[in-house]
Amino acid sequence: MGYRAFLERMGEVNDLLCAESVLSWDARTMMPSGGADTRAKQLATLTVLAREHLVADETRRLLERAEAETAKLPEDSVERTMCAQVREAIEYHLRIPAALVHRRAEVGSKGQHVWAKARAESDFASFVPVLEQTIALNQEMAEHIGYEEHPYDALMFRFEPGETVRSLQPLFAALREGLQPLVRAIGEKEPPRVDFLQRPFPVDRQLEFALKMAGKLGYDTGRGRLDLTVHPFEISFTRNDVRITTRVNDEWMPKSLFGTLHETGHALYEQYCDPAYTRTPFATDLVGLYAVGGVSFGAHESQSRLFENHVGRSREFWELNYGELHATFPEQLAGIDTETFWRAVNRVEPGLVRVESDELTYDFHIMLRVEIEAALIDGSLGVSELPEAWNAKVKEYLGLDVPNDRLGVLQDVHWSSGQIGTFCNYTIGNVMAGQLFHTATQDDLIRDGLAKADYRPLREWMTEHVHRHGRRYTRDQLLENATGKALDPQYYIEHLTRKYTDIYGV
Amino acid sequence: MGYRAFLERMGEVNDLLCAESVLSWDARTMMPSGGADTRAKQLATLTVLAREHLVADETRRLLERAEAETAKLPEDSVERTMCAQVREAIEYHLRIPAALVHRRAEVGSKGQHVWAKARAESDFASFVPVLEQTIALNQEMAEHIGYEEHPYDALMFRFEPGETVRSLQPLFAALREGLQPLVRAIGEKEPPRVDFLQRPFPVDRQLEFALKMAGKLGYDTGRGRLDLTVHPFEISFTRNDVRITTRVNDEWMPKSLFGTLHETGHALYEQYCDPAYTRTPFATDLVGLYAVGGVSFGAHESQSRLFENHVGRSREFWELNYGELHATFPEQLAGIDTETFWRAVNRVEPGLVRVESDELTYDFHIMLRVEIEAALIDGSLGVSELPEAWNAKVKEYLGLDVPNDRLGVLQDVHWSSGQIGTFCNYTIGNVMAGQLFHTATQDDLIRDGLAKADYRPLREWMTEHVHRHGRRYTRDQLLENATGKALDPQYYIEHLTRKYTDIYGV
């Protein structure tokens, strides 16, 4: 009885956060421009009230009753795990003063405007004061949240619980060691032709084809929809309504196609969560205050990367699906065979901009950001020294000179809105994707499926080992249960080495 | 300081109700079918939390401080009026036990499913048990809300504050007396041809033309948008985001065109509310818990009826705009001149279905519903006697025999969801529209505008006298200020008499 009432209370928190997500989806896909100011207020109110509803005396009373009622169940039972997660989230929020949350939101709101202008004018100096405030507020946050070794660990907790500056070091070292020689060798080879991808591909047919491929991978449009937006994303309002968005780029067709496959991977994580977890803490990020089922941002990213890269950019995928793509765009792809297309969408080219980078060089963009963020937070790097540090790392990791801050330190939106500590999840996602895909494809049924464009066995394996659990297990438990071992970059490095050796003959 | 904090609190209530409206809009225009169940829970949670936020101790504390702070201002000042409205709304909600609200929502949710099946099968008997529950719950509600003369008055309060069974009697009598002879006389005349309106008009061009006309009337698409839906509606999330919807009927082109003009009228009321009232009680229906600025449902309907009927169905409007319509649909309207078109969209034909009825017979549908609802609530009519009473009134008012309950007592959705007391607002709206249009068109500038398809002076008059005030004044104060007199059906009767005498030569 007490546990049921507690769950219903948690359902209300999920409802509020789902409502916030609907308003956010609407703001980014449908809302007329005039609605921006009052929509921002509505979003802020929903977040504040969701937090208040979570930490309220009434919730704590219900939690205590639920804990008492379930005390005799095993510690790792669903019921006790939910109670423990809620207690941890409440304690997390109560450690952070409401006034600090409020100031952070204010600075974040102001920061986005300042940053947008600074970026447009490539004027880092004008961004310095608000970024200094942002760093100071995040340092303050870290002290309230608490940490063992490094203040940056406290900030990563919200996105990638358990990950630390220390734990990332060997991971990054292994990636550098495994991938740098490959990038260098490729740099000396002739790049594949990509000119035909820059032809105009009609928007409606691009969307139709992308949605068809999403459906093949398992995306259920009876519980979702695809829309256009400026910055593509996936968002869910319970597993029963999981939406994806894309941006169609007239000059670079792969953007929308692979972007849709990427968001499809995210969407599958939400759509195939256990229905019994709907509206429960296992489908709610109570720390980040976000209605999402994935156990960490990195785990979520593993699914988007897996379906985009391991499936969608594989030679096998296009051997089976290129015919349909060609039939959809006979003029644009005239004279282009499967091999040429596959090589083109896997071209490696170290670049300055993270969101445009290829599969192989992506992680170097992440490493430099994580290292810089950690240094900003522990105070070893000052905001005014940032461009210099950034440019040095770009030179070191990507071999490029940064011509201006717009293409350098000002390129990402994250810091402007006050978000620090989220970048590592992209690389965690890549590494997890490699490990999960390797394990799944030990299964004959899955390999046979991939060989005949039947992606259901693979999707079902991911559902069985990842999707259905929502936030039931920690990321490391999930990975251990699914693959029998802890996070290990070797499979990801092998995957990249195999693919790019094949394409570039290095 | 106290007043400001009180306003901010009211802003949060508005935010929650706007969020509910966004979710409702999305559910009716965009949501994939799978989302229905969890969306219903999200909507319910937002309503419950908005009510809790409104009646919370914290709100009452802030209200008391605001009242104390503004006590020396005039009683009819903005500040004191807001405080008084909030106090009245809180008292209203506290009179109704939360358990009753909850049971009513449950029965309403169940009722809609039962009704949909009953209607499809024209099986009134299967709807009787849940309708009896609905009536009993509404009777209970009425006792809690309180009333002077008739329990139905208590239920109308939420939709049309101040209106009573007694006050509606002379209004209905005047309409019967004024309109019945007209309906009878028209029944003996040859109806205008309408066949060409049933031709297929391409959907996209219908929407484009309708939106163009909406824009001419003043609808600002920078703060709104038009979408397709099954049951058209207007909805707003502050004045900065006011959306309209329409349904395109392949077999009856006027449905979408005039439906859009109708929703445009509603939208203008919201879009042109004083910006200073945004997120305040003057833009929030705190009794009905709905983020809307119009002072009553009837007042809101006056704007939709005015722009749909007085403007949109006038001869003058089509003399000026038919050329554009014809150019948009040259094949469908081949050989049809302005006069023929105008007569067609004003055809009178007493029918069984309210939502398909014409301007002249519409109010008879309303009168019979209001009379029946009042009798159900005071117990003089039992639910099982309903079909007989319904059919008798349809015979009396419209001269028609009802062949089955699907086309009779089962046609409207309102009762199924538990809503009783809302029908009178349609007729109040018609009468107000007549009175406001009559007053506005005493102004040369407005008449000159209408004569050259410049609808801005009319819209500005409505903004000055109606829109901008939101819920600042009561409906009767608003009408008195705008027209110099109380609600008076003579202008509306004159308008209908003039128009239909012209068309039918009666």
PDB file of all heavy atoms in Angstrom, chain B residues 299-321:
ATOM      1  N   ALA B 299     -18.483  34.928 -23.918  1.00  0.00           N
ATOM      2  CA  ALA B 299     -17.747  36.069 -24.459  1.00  0.00           C
ATOM      3  C   ALA B 299     -16.744  35.592 -25.512  1.00  0.00           C
ATOM      4  O   ALA B 299     -16.558  36.236 -26.555  1.00  0.00           O
ATOM      5  CB  ALA B 299     -17.019  36.804 -23.335  1.00  0.00           C
ATOM      6  N   HIS B 300     -16.097  34.459 -25.234  1.00  0.00           N
ATOM      7  CA  HIS B 300     -15.145  33.909 -26.197  1.00  0.00           C
ATOM      8  C   HIS B 300     -15.865  33.548 -27.488  1.00  0.00           C
ATOM      9  O   HIS B 300     -15.404  33.858 -28.593  1.00  0.00           O
ATOM     10  CB  HIS B 300     -14.453  32.679 -25.606  1.00  0.00           C
ATOM     11  CG  HIS B 300     -12.969  32.709 -25.781  1.00  0.00           C
ATOM     12  ND1 HIS B 300     -12.384  32.619 -27.021  1.00  0.00           N
ATOM     13  CD2 HIS B 300     -11.955  32.839 -24.888  1.00  0.00           C
ATOM     14  CE1 HIS B 300     -11.062  32.688 -26.871  1.00  0.00           C
ATOM     15  NE2 HIS B 300     -10.780  32.830 -25.591  1.00  0.00           N
ATOM     16  N   GLU B 301     -17.014  32.915 -27.331  1.00  0.00           N
ATOM     17  CA  GLU B 301     -17.786  32.498 -28.498  1.00  0.00           C
ATOM     18  C   GLU B 301     -18.269  33.720 -29.287  1.00  0.00           C
ATOM     19  O   GLU B 301     -18.452  33.635 -30.506  1.00  0.00           O
ATOM     20  CB  GLU B 301     -18.961  31.639 -28.032  1.00  0.00           C
ATOM     21  CG  GLU B 301     -19.601  30.790 -29.101  1.00  0.00           C
ATOM     22  CD  GLU B 301     -18.735  29.635 -29.596  1.00  0.00           C
ATOM     23  OE1 GLU B 301     -17.709  29.314 -28.949  1.00  0.00           O
ATOM     24  OE2 GLU B 301     -19.078  29.070 -30.655  1.00  0.00           O
ATOM     25  N   SER B 302     -18.460  34.839 -28.616  1.00  0.00           N
ATOM     26  CA  SER B 302     -18.899  36.036 -29.351  1.00  0.00           C
ATOM     27  C   SER B 302     -17.883  36.423 -30.413  1.00  0.00           C
ATOM     28  O   SER B 302     -18.229  36.873 -31.501  1.00  0.00           O
ATOM     29  CB  SER B 302     -19.134  37.212 -28.393  1.00  0.00           C
ATOM     30  OG  SER B 302     -17.909  37.845 -28.042  1.00  0.00           O
ATOM     31  N   GLN B 303     -16.618  36.220 -30.104  1.00  0.00           N
ATOM     32  CA  GLN B 303     -15.585  36.594 -31.065  1.00  0.00           C
ATOM     33  C   GLN B 303     -15.507  35.608 -32.227  1.00  0.00           C
ATOM     34  O   GLN B 303     -15.307  35.992 -33.371  1.00  0.00           O
ATOM     35  CB  GLN B 303     -14.231  36.722 -30.360  1.00  0.00           C
ATOM     36  CG  GLN B 303     -14.211  37.845 -29.346  1.00  0.00           C
ATOM     37  CD  GLN B 303     -14.622  39.173 -29.959  1.00  0.00           C
ATOM     38  OE1 GLN B 303     -13.950  39.710 -30.835  1.00  0.00           O
ATOM     39  NE2 GLN B 303     -15.771  39.706 -29.532  1.00  0.00           N
ATOM     40  N   SER B 304     -15.647  34.323 -31.926  1.00  0.00           N
ATOM     41  CA  SER B 304     -15.612  33.340 -33.015  1.00  0.00           C
ATOM     42  C   SER B 304     -16.821  33.510 -33.924  1.00  0.00           C
ATOM     43  O   SER B 304     -16.698  33.470 -35.149  1.00  0.00           O
ATOM     44  CB  SER B 304     -15.549  31.921 -32.448  1.00  0.00           C
ATOM     45  OG  SER B 304     -16.640  31.655 -31.606  1.00  0.00           O
ATOM     46  N   ARG B 305     -17.986  33.748 -33.324  1.00  0.00           N
ATOM     47  CA  ARG B 305     -19.207  33.912 -34.122  1.00  0.00           C
ATOM     48  C   ARG B 305     -19.169  35.200 -34.933  1.00  0.00           C
ATOM     49  O   ARG B 305     -19.617  35.256 -36.065  1.00  0.00           O
ATOM     50  CB  ARG B 305     -20.433  33.932 -33.202  1.00  0.00           C
ATOM     51  CG  ARG B 305     -20.608  32.674 -32.398  1.00  0.00           C
ATOM     52  CD  ARG B 305     -21.192  31.567 -33.250  1.00  0.00           C
ATOM     53  NE  ARG B 305     -21.041  30.294 -32.556  1.00  0.00           N
ATOM     54  CZ  ARG B 305     -21.776  29.220 -32.786  1.00  0.00           C
ATOM     55  NH1 ARG B 305     -22.710  29.247 -33.724  1.00  0.00           N
ATOM     56  NH2 ARG B 305     -21.566  28.114 -32.125  1.00  0.00           N
ATOM     57  N   LEU B 306     -18.620  36.230 -34.303  1.00  0.00           N
ATOM     58  CA  LEU B 306     -18.578  37.513 -34.999  1.00  0.00           C
ATOM     59  C   LEU B 306     -17.707  37.428 -36.254  1.00  0.00           C
ATOM     60  O   LEU B 306     -18.118  37.854 -37.336  1.00  0.00           O
ATOM     61  CB  LEU B 306     -18.052  38.583 -34.038  1.00  0.00           C
ATOM     62  CG  LEU B 306     -18.142  40.034 -34.514  1.00  0.00           C
ATOM     63  CD1 LEU B 306     -18.422  40.955 -33.326  1.00  0.00           C
ATOM     64  CD2 LEU B 306     -16.867  40.495 -35.214  1.00  0.00           C
ATOM     65  N   PHE B 307     -16.519  36.849 -36.107  1.00  0.00           N
ATOM     66  CA  PHE B 307     -15.636  36.810 -37.277  1.00  0.00           C
ATOM     67  C   PHE B 307     -16.073  35.742 -38.277  1.00  0.00           C
ATOM     68  O   PHE B 307     -15.895  35.911 -39.478  1.00  0.00           O
ATOM     69  CB  PHE B 307     -14.173  36.655 -36.840  1.00  0.00           C
ATOM     70  CG  PHE B 307     -13.613  37.946 -36.304  1.00  0.00           C
ATOM     71  CD1 PHE B 307     -13.620  38.230 -34.936  1.00  0.00           C
ATOM     72  CD2 PHE B 307     -13.123  38.918 -37.174  1.00  0.00           C
ATOM     73  CE1 PHE B 307     -13.133  39.436 -34.449  1.00  0.00           C
ATOM     74  CE2 PHE B 307     -12.637  40.128 -36.693  1.00  0.00           C
ATOM     75  CZ  PHE B 307     -12.647  40.395 -35.321  1.00  0.00           C
ATOM     76  N   GLU B 308     -16.669  34.659 -37.788  1.00  0.00           N
ATOM     77  CA  GLU B 308     -17.167  33.653 -38.718  1.00  0.00           C
ATOM     78  C   GLU B 308     -18.428  34.148 -39.442  1.00  0.00           C
ATOM     79  O   GLU B 308     -18.471  34.133 -40.673  1.00  0.00           O
ATOM     80  CB  GLU B 308     -17.505  32.344 -37.974  1.00  0.00           C
ATOM     81  CG  GLU B 308     -18.122  31.299 -38.910  1.00  0.00           C
ATOM     82  CD  GLU B 308     -18.749  30.103 -38.183  1.00  0.00           C
ATOM     83  OE1 GLU B 308     -18.633  30.029 -36.947  1.00  0.00           O
ATOM     84  OE2 GLU B 308     -19.357  29.265 -38.872  1.00  0.00           O
ATOM     85  N   ASN B 309     -19.413  34.601 -38.672  1.00  0.00           N
ATOM     86  CA  ASN B 309     -20.727  34.855 -39.265  1.00  0.00           C
ATOM     87  C   ASN B 309     -20.948  36.295 -39.711  1.00  0.00           C
ATOM     88  O   ASN B 309     -21.320  36.543 -40.855  1.00  0.00           O
ATOM     89  CB  ASN B 309     -21.824  34.452 -38.280  1.00  0.00           C
ATOM     90  CG  ASN B 309     -21.873  32.937 -38.112  1.00  0.00           C
ATOM     91  OD1 ASN B 309     -21.499  32.196 -39.019  1.00  0.00           O
ATOM     92  ND2 ASN B 309     -22.326  32.483 -36.948  1.00  0.00           N
ATOM     93  N   HIS B 310     -20.733  37.225 -38.814  1.00  0.00           N
ATOM     94  CA  HIS B 310     -21.019  38.623 -39.162  1.00  0.00           C
ATOM     95  C   HIS B 310     -20.057  39.129 -40.221  1.00  0.00           C
ATOM     96  O   HIS B 310     -20.425  39.910 -41.084  1.00  0.00           O
ATOM     97  CB  HIS B 310     -20.984  39.503 -37.910  1.00  0.00           C
ATOM     98  CG  HIS B 310     -22.103  39.213 -36.980  1.00  0.00           C
ATOM     99  ND1 HIS B 310     -23.255  39.948 -36.949  1.00  0.00           N
ATOM    100  CD2 HIS B 310     -22.264  38.221 -36.070  1.00  0.00           C
ATOM    101  CE1 HIS B 310     -24.079  39.435 -36.039  1.00  0.00           C
ATOM    102  NE2 HIS B 310     -23.493  38.393 -35.495  1.00  0.00           N
ATOM    103  N   VAL B 311     -18.805  38.704 -40.136  1.00  0.00           N
ATOM    104  CA  VAL B 311     -17.840  39.107 -41.160  1.00  0.00           C
ATOM    105  C   VAL B 311     -17.797  38.058 -42.274  1.00  0.00           C
ATOM    106  O   VAL B 311     -18.121  38.341 -43.427  1.00  0.00           O
ATOM    107  CB  VAL B 311     -16.430  39.292 -40.553  1.00  0.00           C
ATOM    108  CG1 VAL B 311     -15.435  39.710 -41.640  1.00  0.00           C
ATOM    109  CG2 VAL B 311     -16.456  40.320 -39.427  1.00  0.00           C
ATOM    110  N   GLY B 312     -17.441  36.838 -41.904  1.00  0.00           N
ATOM    111  CA  GLY B 312     -17.120  35.816 -42.907  1.00  0.00           C
ATOM    112  C   GLY B 312     -18.281  35.338 -43.759  1.00  0.00           C
ATOM    113  O   GLY B 312     -18.068  34.891 -44.891  1.00  0.00           O
ATOM    114  N   ARG B 313     -19.493  35.394 -43.242  1.00  0.00           N
ATOM    115  CA  ARG B 313     -20.628  34.936 -44.057  1.00  0.00           C
ATOM    116  C   ARG B 313     -21.415  36.098 -44.642  1.00  0.00           C
ATOM    117  O   ARG B 313     -22.541  35.936 -45.111  1.00  0.00           O
ATOM    118  CB  ARG B 313     -21.564  34.056 -43.233  1.00  0.00           C
ATOM    119  CG  ARG B 313     -21.001  32.677 -42.941  1.00  0.00           C
ATOM    120  CD  ARG B 313     -22.054  31.759 -42.336  1.00  0.00           C
ATOM    121  NE  ARG B 313     -21.439  30.702 -41.568  1.00  0.00           N
ATOM    122  CZ  ARG B 313     -21.155  29.489 -42.064  1.00  0.00           C
ATOM    123  NH1 ARG B 313     -21.448  29.187 -43.317  1.00  0.00           N
ATOM    124  NH2 ARG B 313     -20.581  28.576 -41.298  1.00  0.00           N
ATOM    125  N   SER B 314     -20.834  37.305 -44.588  1.00  0.00           N
ATOM    126  CA  SER B 314     -21.553  38.461 -45.126  1.00  0.00           C
ATOM    127  C   SER B 314     -21.375  38.548 -46.628  1.00  0.00           C
ATOM    128  O   SER B 314     -20.375  38.090 -47.182  1.00  0.00           O
ATOM    129  CB  SER B 314     -21.041  39.744 -44.460  1.00  0.00           C
ATOM    130  OG  SER B 314     -19.717  40.019 -44.893  1.00  0.00           O
ATOM    131  N   ARG B 315     -22.354  39.156 -47.269  1.00  0.00           N
ATOM    132  CA  ARG B 315     -22.284  39.377 -48.724  1.00  0.00           C
ATOM    133  C   ARG B 315     -21.053  40.230 -49.058  1.00  0.00           C
ATOM    134  O   ARG B 315     -20.309  39.959 -49.998  1.00  0.00           O
ATOM    135  CB  ARG B 315     -23.561  40.085 -49.183  1.00  0.00           C
ATOM    136  CG  ARG B 315     -23.644  40.260 -50.691  1.00  0.00           C
ATOM    137  CD  ARG B 315     -24.654  41.350 -51.047  1.00  0.00           C
ATOM    138  NE  ARG B 315     -26.014  40.946 -50.775  1.00  0.00           N
ATOM    139  CZ  ARG B 315     -26.863  40.486 -51.700  1.00  0.00           C
ATOM    140  NH1 ARG B 315     -26.465  40.339 -52.943  1.00  0.00           N
ATOM    141  NH2 ARG B 315     -28.105  40.191 -51.394  1.00  0.00           N
ATOM    142  N   GLU B 316     -20.852  41.247 -48.231  1.00  0.00           N
ATOM    143  CA  GLU B 316     -19.750  42.184 -48.457  1.00  0.00           C
ATOM    144  C   GLU B 316     -18.394  41.464 -48.470  1.00  0.00           C
ATOM    145  O   GLU B 316     -17.521  41.750 -49.283  1.00  0.00           O
ATOM    146  CB  GLU B 316     -19.774  43.222 -47.328  1.00  0.00           C
ATOM    147  CG  GLU B 316     -19.063  44.501 -47.636  1.00  0.00           C
ATOM    148  CD  GLU B 316     -19.344  45.530 -46.535  1.00  0.00           C
ATOM    149  OE1 GLU B 316     -19.474  45.135 -45.358  1.00  0.00           O
ATOM    150  OE2 GLU B 316     -19.424  46.720 -46.871  1.00  0.00           O
ATOM    151  N   PHE B 317     -18.222  40.547 -47.523  1.00  0.00           N
ATOM    152  CA  PHE B 317     -16.948  39.823 -47.428  1.00  0.00           C
ATOM    153  C   PHE B 317     -16.656  39.085 -48.730  1.00  0.00           C
ATOM    154  O   PHE B 317     -15.537  39.130 -49.252  1.00  0.00           O
ATOM    155  CB  PHE B 317     -17.001  38.826 -46.262  1.00  0.00           C
ATOM    156  CG  PHE B 317     -15.688  38.130 -45.994  1.00  0.00           C
ATOM    157  CD1 PHE B 317     -14.723  38.721 -45.196  1.00  0.00           C
ATOM    158  CD2 PHE B 317     -15.411  36.883 -46.548  1.00  0.00           C
ATOM    159  CE1 PHE B 317     -13.507  38.081 -44.938  1.00  0.00           C
ATOM    160  CE2 PHE B 317     -14.199  36.235 -46.294  1.00  0.00           C
ATOM    161  CZ  PHE B 317     -13.251  36.838 -45.491  1.00  0.00           C
ATOM    162  N   TRP B 318     -17.675  38.453 -49.296  1.00  0.00           N
ATOM    163  CA  TRP B 318     -17.429  37.654 -50.494  1.00  0.00           C
ATOM    164  C   TRP B 318     -17.375  38.514 -51.742  1.00  0.00           C
ATOM    165  O   TRP B 318     -16.708  38.161 -52.713  1.00  0.00           O
ATOM    166  CB  TRP B 318     -18.424  36.501 -50.579  1.00  0.00           C
ATOM    167  CG  TRP B 318     -18.079  35.524 -49.487  1.00  0.00           C
ATOM    168  CD1 TRP B 318     -18.786  35.270 -48.351  1.00  0.00           C
ATOM    169  CD2 TRP B 318     -16.859  34.763 -49.385  1.00  0.00           C
ATOM    170  NE1 TRP B 318     -18.105  34.384 -47.550  1.00  0.00           N
ATOM    171  CE2 TRP B 318     -16.919  34.053 -48.161  1.00  0.00           C
ATOM    172  CE3 TRP B 318     -15.719  34.609 -50.187  1.00  0.00           C
ATOM    173  CZ2 TRP B 318     -15.897  33.197 -47.734  1.00  0.00           C
ATOM    174  CZ3 TRP B 318     -14.713  33.755 -49.760  1.00  0.00           C
ATOM    175  CH2 TRP B 318     -14.800  33.064 -48.557  1.00  0.00           C
ATOM    176  N   GLU B 319     -18.063  39.649 -51.701  1.00  0.00           N
ATOM    177  CA  GLU B 319     -17.910  40.576 -52.838  1.00  0.00           C
ATOM    178  C   GLU B 319     -16.444  40.990 -52.972  1.00  0.00           C
ATOM    179  O   GLU B 319     -15.948  41.224 -54.062  1.00  0.00           O
ATOM    180  CB  GLU B 319     -18.808  41.806 -52.638  1.00  0.00           C
ATOM    181  CG  GLU B 319     -20.253  41.521 -53.052  1.00  0.00           C
ATOM    182  CD  GLU B 319     -21.230  42.594 -52.594  1.00  0.00           C
ATOM    183  OE1 GLU B 319     -20.821  43.499 -51.828  1.00  0.00           O
ATOM    184  OE2 GLU B 319     -22.410  42.501 -52.981  1.00  0.00           O
ATOM    185  N   LEU B 320     -15.742  41.037 -51.860  1.00  0.00           N
ATOM    186  CA  LEU B 320     -14.348  41.492 -51.878  1.00  0.00           C
ATOM    187  C   LEU B 320     -13.344  40.341 -51.976  1.00  0.00           C
ATOM    188  O   LEU B 320     -12.230  40.530 -52.438  1.00  0.00           O
ATOM    189  CB  LEU B 320     -14.061  42.308 -50.610  1.00  0.00           C
ATOM    190  CG  LEU B 320     -14.878  43.599 -50.496  1.00  0.00           C
ATOM    191  CD1 LEU B 320     -14.906  44.086 -49.057  1.00  0.00           C
ATOM    192  CD2 LEU B 320     -14.314  44.662 -51.435  1.00  0.00           C
ATOM    193  N   ASN B 321     -13.716  39.164 -51.504  1.00  0.00           N
ATOM    194  CA  ASN B 321     -12.737  38.071 -51.419  1.00  0.00           C
ATOM    195  C   ASN B 321     -13.022  36.876 -52.320  1.00  0.00           C
ATOM    196  O   ASN B 321     -12.204  35.960 -52.417  1.00  0.00           O
ATOM    197  CB  ASN B 321     -12.628  37.584 -49.964  1.00  0.00           C
ATOM    198  CG  ASN B 321     -12.011  38.643 -49.051  1.00  0.00           C
ATOM    199  OD1 ASN B 321     -10.888  39.083 -49.283  1.00  0.00           O
ATOM    200  ND2 ASN B 321     -12.750  39.082 -48.054  1.00  0.00           N
TER     201      ASN B 321
END
